[in-house]
Amino acid sequence: MSISVSTPSVDELPPAVDALKRWQYDGGPLHLHSGDLGWHSLRGAEATAADIRMWSRDGEVLAIGLLDGPELVRMAVAPDRRDDEALARRLAADLDDPGRVLAPDGATVEARGAERLTQLLLERGWERDEPWTPFHRGLSDPVQDCGVRIETIEPDRAEVWVGVHWSAFRGSPLSDADRRRTVGRWLAMAGGPFYADARCLAAFDQNDDAVAVAAVWSAGPGRPGLLEPMGVHRSHRGHGYGTAITLAAAAALRDMGSSSASVCVESSNVGAVATYASAGFTPSAEVTDLRRGSR
């Protein structure tokens, strides 16, 4: 049977989510995770489905890509299909064809663990991009107390979580219009098809001010969970709250049955690298995305 590529509807998302969960295993690459779809669903379930590409053969899902913008696709290939020559060549041809999957004016592919696909793209003239460092923490043992109050955020407290996240990643003042919009997006995510496997956490200081946030995503019992994202309010940095919320995130994933906690960070982000290391996460060998210039 030939390999086909499709874009699922919302009703067709479960096979993609189930496949991504099955493809997570300890010792495997930190490739596209079901939690990445969950975090992407801030845009809504319909927009998330529209950004997914599924490569299948004879009813079997072989590879999944998530378009994180028109110029970036984040990939996962079924572990037992990474050396499938026909699949690797079809993926390389589709990804390298300007406008077919990715925008023609520059493109980036994240394909961790898919070595044959990587080799083929390099042969087509793609180049390695900036390095990232995957981090993992085993969860067979209990996680130490993080030392601050942690709250699992429910919909009526979404504004608390959104405010810290905005400060951590935007830094600019949060206007009323931005607050309404971002809270609405958080509520859409929390009410969507992925959030049953997730928790959003917030850490509070001694004054009961929210100082750090994180989201965690389970792939099911006995499989690696994902920490994405994690951030500390800009007014509260330098006090160990990043380490505290990371420990709380690991503990939450253990409570959800995850075998380990995973996260990937740009190697140049020395603050984040230090935070994950201080929370007991172990770095793995650096990985790189692949970049194609304009044509």
Side-chain angles (χ1 to χ4, degrees), residues 54-105:
M54 293 171 45
W55 284 262
S56 305
R57 180 172 53 206
D58 196 21
E60 177 190 2
V61 180
L62 307 174
I64 297 172
L66 174 65
L67 287 166
D68 201 353
E71 297 183 351
L72 169 63
V73 65
R74 305 176 64 192
M75 298 289 302
V77 178
D80 59 347
R81 300 297 182 186
R82 291 184 191 135
D83 296 324
D84 185 315
E85 187 68 17
L87 174 61
R89 290 190 175 277
R90 174 60 189 271
L91 291 171
D94 286 346
L95 297 171
D96 191 43
D97 185 357
R100 179 169 178 79
V101 175
L102 291 160
D105 297 329

mmCIF file of all heavy atoms in Angstrom, residues 54-105:
data_model
loop_
_atom_site.group_PDB
_atom_site.id
_atom_site.type_symbol
_atom_site.label_atom_id
_atom_site.label_comp_id
_atom_site.label_asym_id
_atom_site.label_seq_id
_atom_site.Cartn_x
_atom_site.Cartn_y
_atom_site.Cartn_z
ATOM 1 N N MET A 54 -0.768 13.742 9.231
ATOM 2 C CA MET A 54 -0.591 12.337 9.581
ATOM 3 C C MET A 54 -0.224 11.546 8.327
ATOM 4 O O MET A 54 -0.932 11.618 7.324
ATOM 5 C CB MET A 54 -1.879 11.771 10.198
ATOM 6 C CG MET A 54 -2.210 12.370 11.544
ATOM 7 S SD MET A 54 -3.871 11.914 12.180
ATOM 8 C CE MET A 54 -3.928 10.171 11.853
ATOM 9 N N TRP A 55 0.887 10.816 8.402
ATOM 10 C CA TRP A 55 1.295 9.933 7.319
ATOM 11 C C TRP A 55 0.888 8.512 7.701
ATOM 12 O O TRP A 55 1.248 8.017 8.786
ATOM 13 C CB TRP A 55 2.794 10.008 7.106
ATOM 14 C CG TRP A 55 3.250 11.254 6.396
ATOM 15 C CD1 TRP A 55 3.522 11.381 5.061
ATOM 16 C CD2 TRP A 55 3.508 12.547 6.969
ATOM 17 N NE1 TRP A 55 3.924 12.659 4.765
ATOM 18 C CE2 TRP A 55 3.931 13.408 5.919
ATOM 19 C CE3 TRP A 55 3.417 13.054 8.270
ATOM 20 C CZ2 TRP A 55 4.254 14.742 6.136
ATOM 21 C CZ3 TRP A 55 3.730 14.377 8.493
ATOM 22 C CH2 TRP A 55 4.145 15.218 7.430
ATOM 23 N N SER A 56 0.131 7.849 6.835
ATOM 24 C CA SER A 56 -0.425 6.529 7.145
ATOM 25 C C SER A 56 -0.232 5.587 5.962
ATOM 26 O O SER A 56 -0.077 6.017 4.811
ATOM 27 C CB SER A 56 -1.922 6.631 7.462
ATOM 28 O OG SER A 56 -2.164 7.548 8.505
ATOM 29 N N ARG A 57 -0.276 4.290 6.294
ATOM 30 C CA ARG A 57 -0.223 3.257 5.251
ATOM 31 C C ARG A 57 -1.101 2.094 5.693
ATOM 32 O O ARG A 57 -0.904 1.558 6.787
ATOM 33 C CB ARG A 57 1.222 2.787 5.027
ATOM 34 C CG ARG A 57 1.388 1.704 3.949
ATOM 35 C CD ARG A 57 2.858 1.440 3.657
ATOM 36 N NE ARG A 57 3.601 1.157 4.863
ATOM 37 C CZ ARG A 57 4.927 1.374 5.000
ATOM 38 N NH1 ARG A 57 5.612 1.881 3.997
ATOM 39 N NH2 ARG A 57 5.521 1.076 6.130
ATOM 40 N N ASP A 58 -2.061 1.767 4.876
ATOM 41 C CA ASP A 58 -2.962 0.647 5.149
ATOM 42 C C ASP A 58 -3.613 0.785 6.525
ATOM 43 O O ASP A 58 -3.719 -0.181 7.284
ATOM 44 C CB ASP A 58 -2.186 -0.673 5.051
ATOM 45 C CG ASP A 58 -3.109 -1.885 4.932
ATOM 46 O OD1 ASP A 58 -4.277 -1.706 4.529
ATOM 47 O OD2 ASP A 58 -2.660 -2.990 5.252
ATOM 48 N N GLY A 59 -4.020 2.020 6.864
ATOM 49 C CA GLY A 59 -4.700 2.270 8.124
ATOM 50 C C GLY A 59 -3.801 2.452 9.328
ATOM 51 O O GLY A 59 -4.285 2.753 10.427
ATOM 52 N N GLU A 60 -2.495 2.283 9.169
ATOM 53 C CA GLU A 60 -1.546 2.433 10.281
ATOM 54 C C GLU A 60 -0.925 3.826 10.243
ATOM 55 O O GLU A 60 -0.373 4.239 9.213
ATOM 56 C CB GLU A 60 -0.437 1.379 10.194
ATOM 57 C CG GLU A 60 0.625 1.516 11.276
ATOM 58 C CD GLU A 60 1.833 0.625 11.049
ATOM 59 O OE1 GLU A 60 1.867 -0.086 10.023
ATOM 60 O OE2 GLU A 60 2.756 0.657 11.893
ATOM 61 N N VAL A 61 -0.981 4.545 11.374
ATOM 62 C CA VAL A 61 -0.335 5.851 11.468
ATOM 63 C C VAL A 61 1.166 5.636 11.630
ATOM 64 O O VAL A 61 1.612 4.966 12.570
ATOM 65 C CB VAL A 61 -0.890 6.664 12.648
ATOM 66 C CG1 VAL A 61 -0.207 8.022 12.715
ATOM 67 C CG2 VAL A 61 -2.399 6.850 12.516
ATOM 68 N N LEU A 62 1.944 6.198 10.718
ATOM 69 C CA LEU A 62 3.393 5.989 10.694
ATOM 70 C C LEU A 62 4.174 7.182 11.235
ATOM 71 O O LEU A 62 5.245 7.014 11.812
ATOM 72 C CB LEU A 62 3.856 5.715 9.261
ATOM 73 C CG LEU A 62 3.153 4.601 8.504
ATOM 74 C CD1 LEU A 62 3.638 4.568 7.069
ATOM 75 C CD2 LEU A 62 3.390 3.258 9.191
ATOM 76 N N ALA A 63 3.665 8.375 11.020
ATOM 77 C CA ALA A 63 4.359 9.595 11.442
ATOM 78 C C ALA A 63 3.323 10.699 11.603
ATOM 79 O O ALA A 63 2.282 10.702 10.933
ATOM 80 C CB ALA A 63 5.425 10.003 10.432
ATOM 81 N N ILE A 64 3.633 11.625 12.500
ATOM 82 C CA ILE A 64 2.742 12.747 12.773
ATOM 83 C C ILE A 64 3.579 14.011 12.841
ATOM 84 O O ILE A 64 4.650 14.033 13.457
ATOM 85 C CB ILE A 64 1.980 12.545 14.092
ATOM 86 C CG1 ILE A 64 1.086 11.304 14.004
ATOM 87 C CG2 ILE A 64 1.144 13.775 14.450
ATOM 88 C CD1 ILE A 64 0.448 10.917 15.324
ATOM 89 N N GLY A 65 3.081 15.061 12.226
ATOM 90 C CA GLY A 65 3.724 16.366 12.303
ATOM 91 C C GLY A 65 2.750 17.409 12.811
ATOM 92 O O GLY A 65 1.560 17.378 12.473
ATOM 93 N N LEU A 66 3.231 18.307 13.632
ATOM 94 C CA LEU A 66 2.445 19.436 14.137
ATOM 95 C C LEU A 66 3.059 20.715 13.602
ATOM 96 O O LEU A 66 4.223 21.025 13.894
ATOM 97 C CB LEU A 66 2.438 19.446 15.663
ATOM 98 C CG LEU A 66 1.771 20.661 16.317
ATOM 99 C CD1 LEU A 66 0.271 20.692 16.012
ATOM 100 C CD2 LEU A 66 2.003 20.664 17.834
ATOM 101 N N LEU A 67 2.282 21.467 12.833
ATOM 102 C CA LEU A 67 2.753 22.744 12.311
ATOM 103 C C LEU A 67 2.663 23.795 13.411
ATOM 104 O O LEU A 67 1.581 24.240 13.772
ATOM 105 C CB LEU A 67 1.909 23.157 11.108
ATOM 106 C CG LEU A 67 2.160 22.361 9.831
ATOM 107 C CD1 LEU A 67 1.063 22.619 8.823
ATOM 108 C CD2 LEU A 67 3.519 22.695 9.246
ATOM 109 N N ASP A 68 3.815 24.166 13.939
ATOM 110 C CA ASP A 68 3.886 25.196 14.976
ATOM 111 C C ASP A 68 4.209 26.514 14.284
ATOM 112 O O ASP A 68 5.270 27.109 14.489
ATOM 113 C CB ASP A 68 4.958 24.810 15.995
ATOM 114 C CG ASP A 68 4.756 25.500 17.325
ATOM 115 O OD1 ASP A 68 3.871 26.379 17.408
ATOM 116 O OD2 ASP A 68 5.465 25.172 18.290
ATOM 117 N N GLY A 69 3.286 26.934 13.445
ATOM 118 C CA GLY A 69 3.516 28.061 12.554
ATOM 119 C C GLY A 69 3.798 27.532 11.160
ATOM 120 O O GLY A 69 4.079 26.351 10.961
ATOM 121 N N PRO A 70 3.762 28.391 10.146
ATOM 122 C CA PRO A 70 3.915 27.934 8.763
ATOM 123 C C PRO A 70 5.318 27.471 8.402
ATOM 124 O O PRO A 70 5.499 26.800 7.377
ATOM 125 C CB PRO A 70 3.521 29.165 7.945
ATOM 126 C CG PRO A 70 3.780 30.329 8.849
ATOM 127 C CD PRO A 70 3.462 29.833 10.233
ATOM 128 N N GLU A 71 6.311 27.798 9.238
ATOM 129 C CA GLU A 71 7.695 27.476 8.892
ATOM 130 C C GLU A 71 8.324 26.428 9.800
ATOM 131 O O GLU A 71 9.509 26.126 9.654
ATOM 132 C CB GLU A 71 8.551 28.749 8.916
ATOM 133 C CG GLU A 71 8.126 29.787 7.890
ATOM 134 C CD GLU A 71 9.030 31.001 7.889
ATOM 135 O OE1 GLU A 71 9.879 31.112 8.795
ATOM 136 O OE2 GLU A 71 8.885 31.847 6.978
ATOM 137 N N LEU A 72 7.563 25.843 10.719
ATOM 138 C CA LEU A 72 8.108 24.848 11.646
ATOM 139 C C LEU A 72 7.144 23.690 11.780
ATOM 140 O O LEU A 72 5.964 23.889 12.074
ATOM 141 C CB LEU A 72 8.356 25.485 13.022
ATOM 142 C CG LEU A 72 8.673 24.509 14.169
ATOM 143 C CD1 LEU A 72 9.978 23.756 13.892
ATOM 144 C CD2 LEU A 72 8.766 25.254 15.500
ATOM 145 N N VAL A 73 7.648 22.478 11.552
ATOM 146 C CA VAL A 73 6.878 21.274 11.817
ATOM 147 C C VAL A 73 7.643 20.429 12.835
ATOM 148 O O VAL A 73 8.849 20.229 12.724
ATOM 149 C CB VAL A 73 6.590 20.468 10.534
ATOM 150 C CG1 VAL A 73 7.860 19.923 9.896
ATOM 151 C CG2 VAL A 73 5.615 19.328 10.829
ATOM 152 N N ARG A 74 6.919 19.976 13.850
ATOM 153 C CA ARG A 74 7.505 19.147 14.910
ATOM 154 C C ARG A 74 7.013 17.727 14.686
ATOM 155 O O ARG A 74 5.805 17.465 14.667
ATOM 156 C CB ARG A 74 7.090 19.695 16.268
ATOM 157 C CG ARG A 74 7.467 21.174 16.420
ATOM 158 C CD ARG A 74 6.966 21.757 17.716
ATOM 159 N NE ARG A 74 7.596 21.100 18.850
ATOM 160 C CZ ARG A 74 7.204 21.235 20.109
ATOM 161 N NH1 ARG A 74 6.149 21.987 20.390
ATOM 162 N NH2 ARG A 74 7.830 20.620 21.074
ATOM 163 N N MET A 75 7.951 16.793 14.541
ATOM 164 C CA MET A 75 7.635 15.463 14.049
ATOM 165 C C MET A 75 7.804 14.390 15.125
ATOM 166 O O MET A 75 8.590 14.515 16.047
ATOM 167 C CB MET A 75 8.572 15.095 12.887
ATOM 168 C CG MET A 75 8.478 15.990 11.666
ATOM 169 S SD MET A 75 6.938 15.764 10.767
ATOM 170 C CE MET A 75 7.017 14.016 10.383
ATOM 171 N N ALA A 76 7.047 13.313 14.935
ATOM 172 C CA ALA A 76 7.304 12.047 15.625
ATOM 173 C C ALA A 76 7.076 10.942 14.609
ATOM 174 O O ALA A 76 6.082 10.960 13.874
ATOM 175 C CB ALA A 76 6.388 11.860 16.829
ATOM 176 N N VAL A 77 7.989 9.997 14.566
ATOM 177 C CA VAL A 77 7.880 8.832 13.690
ATOM 178 C C VAL A 77 7.743 7.603 14.575
ATOM 179 O O VAL A 77 8.421 7.484 15.598
ATOM 180 C CB VAL A 77 9.113 8.708 12.771
ATOM 181 C CG1 VAL A 77 9.025 7.466 11.896
ATOM 182 C CG2 VAL A 77 9.253 9.961 11.905
ATOM 183 N N ALA A 78 6.852 6.694 14.204
ATOM 184 C CA ALA A 78 6.658 5.473 14.983
ATOM 185 C C ALA A 78 8.000 4.795 15.226
ATOM 186 O O ALA A 78 8.795 4.642 14.288
ATOM 187 C CB ALA A 78 5.719 4.532 14.251
ATOM 188 N N PRO A 79 8.298 4.411 16.470
ATOM 189 C CA PRO A 79 9.624 3.856 16.772
ATOM 190 C C PRO A 79 10.032 2.694 15.882
ATOM 191 O O PRO A 79 11.212 2.565 15.531
ATOM 192 C CB PRO A 79 9.485 3.426 18.236
ATOM 193 C CG PRO A 79 8.445 4.336 18.796
ATOM 194 C CD PRO A 79 7.471 4.555 17.678
ATOM 195 N N ASP A 80 9.077 1.830 15.497
ATOM 196 C CA ASP A 80 9.431 0.674 14.679
ATOM 197 C C ASP A 80 9.417 0.994 13.189
ATOM 198 O O ASP A 80 9.576 0.095 12.361
ATOM 199 C CB ASP A 80 8.493 -0.497 14.970
ATOM 200 C CG ASP A 80 7.030 -0.165 14.701
ATOM 201 O OD1 ASP A 80 6.713 1.030 14.535
ATOM 202 O OD2 ASP A 80 6.210 -1.102 14.666
ATOM 203 N N ARG A 81 9.244 2.283 12.845
ATOM 204 C CA ARG A 81 9.224 2.682 11.440
ATOM 205 C C ARG A 81 10.301 3.700 11.107
ATOM 206 O O ARG A 81 10.331 4.224 9.996
ATOM 207 C CB ARG A 81 7.850 3.271 11.081
ATOM 208 C CG ARG A 81 6.685 2.310 11.285
ATOM 209 C CD ARG A 81 6.785 1.104 10.384
ATOM 210 N NE ARG A 81 5.641 0.211 10.535
ATOM 211 C CZ ARG A 81 5.539 -0.972 9.954
ATOM 212 N NH1 ARG A 81 6.531 -1.409 9.177
ATOM 213 N NH2 ARG A 81 4.483 -1.735 10.133
ATOM 214 N N ARG A 82 11.197 3.980 12.040
ATOM 215 C CA ARG A 82 12.199 5.021 11.788
ATOM 216 C C ARG A 82 13.193 4.630 10.697
ATOM 217 O O ARG A 82 13.791 5.494 10.075
ATOM 218 C CB ARG A 82 12.944 5.359 13.090
ATOM 219 C CG ARG A 82 12.062 6.080 14.096
ATOM 220 C CD ARG A 82 12.829 6.483 15.328
ATOM 221 N NE ARG A 82 11.885 6.936 16.351
ATOM 222 C CZ ARG A 82 11.931 6.581 17.623
ATOM 223 N NH1 ARG A 82 12.893 5.768 18.047
ATOM 224 N NH2 ARG A 82 11.036 7.020 18.470
ATOM 225 N N ASP A 83 13.393 3.319 10.493
ATOM 226 C CA ASP A 83 14.306 2.863 9.456
ATOM 227 C C ASP A 83 13.576 2.437 8.191
ATOM 228 O O ASP A 83 14.194 1.861 7.284
ATOM 229 C CB ASP A 83 15.151 1.690 9.978
ATOM 230 C CG ASP A 83 16.052 2.100 11.136
ATOM 231 O OD1 ASP A 83 16.548 3.242 11.110
ATOM 232 O OD2 ASP A 83 16.254 1.290 12.049
ATOM 233 N N ASP A 84 12.283 2.695 8.125
ATOM 234 C CA ASP A 84 11.481 2.362 6.947
ATOM 235 C C ASP A 84 11.889 3.304 5.813
ATOM 236 O O ASP A 84 11.609 4.502 5.841
ATOM 237 C CB ASP A 84 9.997 2.517 7.286
ATOM 238 C CG ASP A 84 9.070 2.082 6.166
ATOM 239 O OD1 ASP A 84 9.328 2.439 5.006
ATOM 240 O OD2 ASP A 84 8.059 1.404 6.471
ATOM 241 N N GLU A 85 12.560 2.768 4.805
ATOM 242 C CA GLU A 85 13.123 3.600 3.749
ATOM 243 C C GLU A 85 12.045 4.325 2.955
ATOM 244 O O GLU A 85 12.186 5.519 2.638
ATOM 245 C CB GLU A 85 13.977 2.747 2.810
ATOM 246 C CG GLU A 85 14.757 3.538 1.772
ATOM 247 C CD GLU A 85 15.862 4.399 2.359
ATOM 248 O OE1 GLU A 85 16.257 4.167 3.519
ATOM 249 O OE2 GLU A 85 16.333 5.320 1.652
ATOM 250 N N ALA A 86 10.961 3.619 2.634
ATOM 251 C CA ALA A 86 9.895 4.253 1.858
ATOM 252 C C ALA A 86 9.274 5.403 2.635
ATOM 253 O O ALA A 86 8.980 6.469 2.070
ATOM 254 C CB ALA A 86 8.838 3.212 1.481
ATOM 255 N N LEU A 87 9.067 5.211 3.934
ATOM 256 C CA LEU A 87 8.501 6.276 4.764
ATOM 257 C C LEU A 87 9.455 7.452 4.853
ATOM 258 O O LEU A 87 9.041 8.616 4.690
ATOM 259 C CB LEU A 87 8.182 5.744 6.159
ATOM 260 C CG LEU A 87 7.714 6.789 7.177
ATOM 261 C CD1 LEU A 87 6.424 7.452 6.716
ATOM 262 C CD2 LEU A 87 7.550 6.159 8.563
ATOM 263 N N ALA A 88 10.728 7.185 5.123
ATOM 264 C CA ALA A 88 11.697 8.272 5.254
ATOM 265 C C ALA A 88 11.768 9.095 3.971
ATOM 266 O O ALA A 88 11.819 10.332 4.005
ATOM 267 C CB ALA A 88 13.069 7.714 5.620
ATOM 268 N N ARG A 89 11.757 8.421 2.829
ATOM 269 C CA ARG A 89 11.835 9.140 1.556
ATOM 270 C C ARG A 89 10.561 9.938 1.286
ATOM 271 O O ARG A 89 10.622 11.053 0.749
ATOM 272 C CB ARG A 89 12.133 8.163 0.423
ATOM 273 C CG ARG A 89 13.555 7.613 0.483
ATOM 274 C CD ARG A 89 13.952 6.837 -0.757
ATOM 275 N NE ARG A 89 15.351 6.435 -0.679
ATOM 276 C CZ ARG A 89 16.386 7.202 -1.002
ATOM 277 N NH1 ARG A 89 16.159 8.437 -1.455
ATOM 278 N NH2 ARG A 89 17.621 6.768 -0.891
ATOM 279 N N ARG A 90 9.408 9.389 1.652
ATOM 280 C CA ARG A 90 8.163 10.142 1.454
ATOM 281 C C ARG A 90 8.135 11.373 2.357
ATOM 282 O O ARG A 90 7.754 12.468 1.932
ATOM 283 C CB ARG A 90 6.969 9.238 1.742
ATOM 284 C CG ARG A 90 5.612 9.953 1.706
ATOM 285 C CD ARG A 90 5.342 10.585 0.338
ATOM 286 N NE ARG A 90 4.162 11.452 0.364
ATOM 287 C CZ ARG A 90 2.915 11.032 0.135
ATOM 288 N NH1 ARG A 90 2.682 9.754 -0.138
ATOM 289 N NH2 ARG A 90 1.911 11.874 0.168
ATOM 290 N N LEU A 91 8.542 11.206 3.616
ATOM 291 C CA LEU A 91 8.584 12.341 4.531
ATOM 292 C C LEU A 91 9.545 13.412 4.027
ATOM 293 O O LEU A 91 9.217 14.607 4.015
ATOM 294 C CB LEU A 91 9.000 11.883 5.929
ATOM 295 C CG LEU A 91 8.004 11.018 6.702
ATOM 296 C CD1 LEU A 91 8.660 10.481 7.971
ATOM 297 C CD2 LEU A 91 6.755 11.813 7.059
ATOM 298 N N ALA A 92 10.730 13.000 3.617
ATOM 299 C CA ALA A 92 11.722 13.968 3.135
ATOM 300 C C ALA A 92 11.205 14.721 1.915
ATOM 301 O O ALA A 92 11.373 15.940 1.796
ATOM 302 C CB ALA A 92 13.038 13.249 2.816
ATOM 303 N N ALA A 93 10.561 13.998 0.986
ATOM 304 C CA ALA A 93 10.042 14.649 -0.208
ATOM 305 C C ALA A 93 8.934 15.639 0.144
ATOM 306 O O ALA A 93 8.899 16.760 -0.379
ATOM 307 C CB ALA A 93 9.519 13.587 -1.181
ATOM 308 N N ASP A 94 8.034 15.248 1.035
ATOM 309 C CA ASP A 94 6.936 16.144 1.403
ATOM 310 C C ASP A 94 7.443 17.375 2.142
ATOM 311 O O ASP A 94 6.976 18.495 1.903
ATOM 312 C CB ASP A 94 5.929 15.398 2.280
ATOM 313 C CG ASP A 94 5.087 14.414 1.495
ATOM 314 O OD1 ASP A 94 5.081 14.479 0.251
ATOM 315 O OD2 ASP A 94 4.422 13.563 2.126
ATOM 316 N N LEU A 95 8.384 17.190 3.060
ATOM 317 C CA LEU A 95 8.881 18.301 3.856
ATOM 318 C C LEU A 95 9.770 19.232 3.044
ATOM 319 O O LEU A 95 9.835 20.436 3.320
ATOM 320 C CB LEU A 95 9.641 17.773 5.070
ATOM 321 C CG LEU A 95 8.812 16.955 6.062
ATOM 322 C CD1 LEU A 95 9.717 16.307 7.109
ATOM 323 C CD2 LEU A 95 7.745 17.797 6.739
ATOM 324 N N ASP A 96 10.440 18.674 2.046
ATOM 325 C CA ASP A 96 11.367 19.478 1.245
ATOM 326 C C ASP A 96 10.668 20.199 0.099
ATOM 327 O O ASP A 96 11.246 21.110 -0.503
ATOM 328 C CB ASP A 96 12.467 18.566 0.687
ATOM 329 C CG ASP A 96 13.615 19.352 0.068
ATOM 330 O OD1 ASP A 96 14.039 20.363 0.661
ATOM 331 O OD2 ASP A 96 14.069 18.959 -1.024
ATOM 332 N N ASP A 97 9.447 19.815 -0.205
ATOM 333 C CA ASP A 97 8.699 20.425 -1.305
ATOM 334 C C ASP A 97 8.093 21.745 -0.827
ATOM 335 O O ASP A 97 7.147 21.739 -0.038
ATOM 336 C CB ASP A 97 7.597 19.468 -1.758
ATOM 337 C CG ASP A 97 6.854 19.983 -2.982
ATOM 338 O OD1 ASP A 97 7.160 21.110 -3.443
ATOM 339 O OD2 ASP A 97 5.959 19.273 -3.461
ATOM 340 N N PRO A 98 8.614 22.895 -1.251
ATOM 341 C CA PRO A 98 8.124 24.180 -0.742
ATOM 342 C C PRO A 98 6.621 24.351 -0.951
ATOM 343 O O PRO A 98 6.114 24.180 -2.060
ATOM 344 C CB PRO A 98 8.918 25.205 -1.555
ATOM 345 C CG PRO A 98 10.149 24.481 -1.989
ATOM 346 C CD PRO A 98 9.698 23.067 -2.234
ATOM 347 N N GLY A 99 5.925 24.634 0.136
ATOM 348 C CA GLY A 99 4.499 24.860 0.067
ATOM 349 C C GLY A 99 3.645 23.635 0.276
ATOM 350 O O GLY A 99 2.434 23.758 0.495
ATOM 351 N N ARG A 100 4.225 22.437 0.214
ATOM 352 C CA ARG A 100 3.413 21.233 0.384
ATOM 353 C C ARG A 100 3.017 21.041 1.850
ATOM 354 O O ARG A 100 1.851 20.830 2.175
ATOM 355 C CB ARG A 100 4.144 20.005 -0.128
ATOM 356 C CG ARG A 100 3.343 18.714 0.039
ATOM 357 C CD ARG A 100 3.957 17.555 -0.705
ATOM 358 N NE ARG A 100 3.215 16.324 -0.495
ATOM 359 C CZ ARG A 100 2.085 15.997 -1.116
ATOM 360 N NH1 ARG A 100 1.573 16.836 -2.010
ATOM 361 N NH2 ARG A 100 1.473 14.866 -0.864
ATOM 362 N N VAL A 101 3.996 21.078 2.738
ATOM 363 C CA VAL A 101 3.738 21.004 4.175
ATOM 364 C C VAL A 101 4.157 22.304 4.839
ATOM 365 O O VAL A 101 3.431 22.847 5.674
ATOM 366 C CB VAL A 101 4.479 19.811 4.815
ATOM 367 C CG1 VAL A 101 4.303 19.817 6.329
ATOM 368 C CG2 VAL A 101 3.980 18.487 4.221
ATOM 369 N N LEU A 102 5.321 22.809 4.463
ATOM 370 C CA LEU A 102 5.908 23.998 5.073
ATOM 371 C C LEU A 102 5.933 25.154 4.083
ATOM 372 O O LEU A 102 5.915 24.953 2.866
ATOM 373 C CB LEU A 102 7.327 23.681 5.545
ATOM 374 C CG LEU A 102 7.414 22.722 6.738
ATOM 375 C CD1 LEU A 102 8.798 22.101 6.818
ATOM 376 C CD2 LEU A 102 7.081 23.449 8.032
ATOM 377 N N ALA A 103 6.005 26.360 4.635
ATOM 378 C CA ALA A 103 6.056 27.555 3.804
ATOM 379 C C ALA A 103 7.283 27.521 2.893
ATOM 380 O O ALA A 103 8.331 26.988 3.266
ATOM 381 C CB ALA A 103 6.086 28.798 4.682
ATOM 382 N N PRO A 104 7.196 28.094 1.696
ATOM 383 C CA PRO A 104 8.336 28.060 0.779
ATOM 384 C C PRO A 104 9.501 28.938 1.206
ATOM 385 O O PRO A 104 10.640 28.675 0.833
ATOM 386 C CB PRO A 104 7.732 28.544 -0.542
ATOM 387 C CG PRO A 104 6.528 29.333 -0.156
ATOM 388 C CD PRO A 104 5.992 28.692 1.082
ATOM 389 N N ASP A 105 9.240 29.976 1.992
ATOM 390 C CA ASP A 105 10.293 30.929 2.354
ATOM 391 C C ASP A 105 10.938 30.561 3.675
ATOM 392 O O ASP A 105 10.722 31.201 4.706
ATOM 393 C CB ASP A 105 9.721 32.343 2.422
ATOM 394 C CG ASP A 105 9.193 32.805 1.081
ATOM 395 O OD1 ASP A 105 9.749 32.376 0.058
ATOM 396 O OD2 ASP A 105 8.221 33.583 1.063
#
